[in-house]
Amino acid sequence: MQTSLQQLHEHYMQRAIALAKKGEYTTSPNPAVGCVLVKNGEIVGEGWHQKAGEGHAEVNALKQAGEKAKDAIAYVTLEPCSHFGRTPPCAQGLITAGVKHVVIGMQDPNPLVSGRGIAMLEEAGITTEVAVLEPAAKNLNPGFIKLMSTGRPFVRCKMAASLDGKTAMANGESKWITGTDARQDVQRYRAKSCAIISGADTVMIDDAKLNVRHSELGFVANDLKQDQIRQPVRVIIDSQNRLAPTLALFNQHSPIILVRTKLENEQQWPHFVKQIQVNAITIADNSSKADLNDLINKLAELGLNTLWVESGARLAGAFLAQGLVDELVLYQAPKLMGENTRGLFDIEGLAHLQDAISLDINDIRMIGADIKITATVNK
């Protein structure tokens, strides 16, 4: 059966998407992008965006193709940029190389630049086709897309529990509910995120470092050296100013943001630690907690577009109750922990069943012996 032109476009776009995924652990906060150059039915060049500040996918593909790029078809997962940043505009690079047609997975989500790269190509006489395998292209960069289109980051919340929904024994014991494969999956999510958000309780109880551990990345570690892994910013909500520099968190020399409702300078923090002040919300016992909505806005201003919430039931519940979670990632172990244990989420204000937070389950799969559920939170 003869292959249609649309099928060919989708075939090569699938290759571009696969290339883009090679950069998902290293490009943040830039989007992961892939590019394939095809001439006379042969791939003559391909590339992906490997790291922020370095060559974009189109630049790398054109470099590999050399003179063969002339009259080729370019397949790009994201609209080629049209402006000068840390690198020259990719649309101009495709024009200069003499490609004849550009197939694009999705338009740039930034309303200030969306369509300009396409217009630049067409003004130069290069034909374009947009929205080929668009859903798959969008799935590459949910954080980049959301920040560019709404000014807000994409928030994932992770929890791990037994099959009966318990996260810890009454004495606080929780290591390890899930197995090795699930913990490796969590490490990969950490590596893909701009920032990990947690609370002071989690840090103090577990003496948690909340960093990406190369040795626990599983198959990803086979493709990336340890120094290629970008450590996300660790954002710790410490409204009561309880953390001390002696904790293991501060032994890992990667950026830390301490979130306070009142700043204090009594501690001698390492050079990579920054304090930010957010608005305070008074709660029932007249104590205060951080305004999570204000925090999200401040992290957006820092360009952190993909946030990974990894915390206890109280903080996770607060994020859900305030409608700040876009995606829930839940790991459930084949264990039953019984009644005298701690639950998944502490969510205030749910008096009736109609108040329950509604989810759309997008995926259920086995991760080793554990169940992984990925769901969109309805708002």
Side-chain angles (χ1 to χ4, degrees), residues 20-265:
K21 289 181 179 180
K22 289 177 174 286
E24 64 183 348
Y25 300 102
T26 57
T27 63
S28 178
N30 282 11
V33 181
C35 177
V36 175
L37 297 171
V38 178
K39 187 174 183 179
N40 299 325
E42 177 189 357
I43 294 177
V44 296
E46 56 183 27
W48 65 95
H49 184 35
Q50 299 179 22
K51 189 176 181 180
E54 296 183 359
H56 288 187
E58 299 93 324
V59 172
N60 294 328
L62 289 169
K63 183 178 179 180
Q64 186 182 96
E67 294 182 358
K68 292 181 179 180
K70 183 173 174 56
D71 294 326
I73 299 174
Y75 295 86
V76 190
T77 57
L78 180 66
E79 176 184 359
C81 60
S82 59
H83 60 283
F84 281 90
R86 285 188 280 184
T87 58
C90 292
Q92 185 58 54
L94 293 169
I95 294 168
T96 302
V99 302
K100 67 178 182 180
H101 185 62
V102 179
V103 181
I104 299 166
M106 62 168 290
Q107 279 191 233
D108 191 315
N110 187 341
L112 299 177
V113 299
S114 182
R116 292 187 180 183
I118 296 168
M120 182 183 292
L121 293 168
E122 293 181 344
E123 287 170 6
I126 297 172
T127 55
T128 64
E129 185 171 344
V130 186
V132 174
L133 297 185
E134 185 177 38
K138 286 184 174 180
N139 283 340
L140 289 169
N141 301 294
F144 173 76
I145 292 170
K146 188 176 179 189
L147 187 66
M148 288 294 102
S149 56
T150 70
R152 303 271 284 184
F154 185 86
V155 180
R156 287 188 175 101
C157 180
K158 166 262 176 183
M159 293 296 284
S162 61
L163 202 58
D164 53 347
K166 307 300 183 178
T167 61
M169 305 305 291
N171 63 2
E173 182 185 358
S174 62
K175 290 186 175 181
W176 295 100
I177 293 176
T178 55
T180 300
D181 292 335
R183 296 200 297 274
Q184 288 178 345
D185 199 50
V186 169
Q187 289 292 315
R188 293 190 283 271
Y189 273 111
R190 286 185 181 184
K192 288 191 287 188
S193 302
C194 294
I196 300 169
I197 301 179
S198 193
D201 285 337
T202 296
V203 172
M204 292 189 299
I205 291 170
D206 298 336
D207 202 13
K209 293 182 180 179
L210 296 170
N211 61 316
V212 177
R213 297 184 288 275
H214 184 267
S215 62
E216 296 181 25
L217 282 171
F219 65 87
V220 172
N222 297 328
D223 298 323
L224 295 173
K225 296 178 181 178
Q226 187 162 349
D227 59 2
Q228 291 178 300
I229 297 294
R230 177 196 47 78
Q231 290 289 343
V233 178
R234 293 169 291 165
V235 179
I236 312 301
I237 300 172
D238 183 22
S239 301
Q240 309 302 317
N241 295 9
R242 291 179 292 161
L243 298 185
T246 53
L247 291 164
L249 180 80
F250 303 102
N251 293 335
Q252 173 71 36
H253 289 203
S254 62
I256 293 174
I257 295 176
L258 298 181
V259 180
R260 266 71 188 276
T261 56
K262 183 179 180 181
L263 297 185
E264 56 88 6
N265 294 304

Side-chain angles (χ1 to χ4, degrees), residues 12 19 41 59 88 124 129 174 197 280 283 291 300 322 345 356 364 373:
Y12 290 118
L19 288 168
V59 172
E129 185 171 344
S174 62
I197 301 179
I283 55 179
D291 184 332
Q322 295 180 40
F345 300 105
I364 302 176
I373 301 172

Side-chain angles (χ1 to χ4, degrees), residues 350-365:
L350 302 183
H352 304 283
L353 186 58
Q354 66 183 20
D355 301 325
I357 294 172
S358 174
L359 307 172
D360 287 331
I361 295 178
N362 301 320
D363 186 68
I364 302 176
R365 66 181 64 196

Side-chain angles (χ1 to χ4, degrees), residues 321-344:
Q322 295 180 40
L324 299 175
V325 177
D326 297 295
E327 185 175 270
L328 176 65
V329 181
L330 172 62
Y331 301 90
Q332 285 193 289
K335 300 173 182 176
L336 300 174
M337 293 169 59
E339 182 178 358
N340 190 25
T341 47
R342 300 179 183 180
L344 259 177

Side-chain angles (χ1 to χ4, degrees), residues 295-316:
L295 171 61
I296 292 295
N297 288 332
K298 284 183 166 61
L299 296 180
E301 291 171 3
L302 295 173
L304 302 173
N305 60 46
T306 307
L307 310 180
W308 176 252
V309 178
E310 189 171 332
S311 68
R314 185 179 302 172
L315 182 57

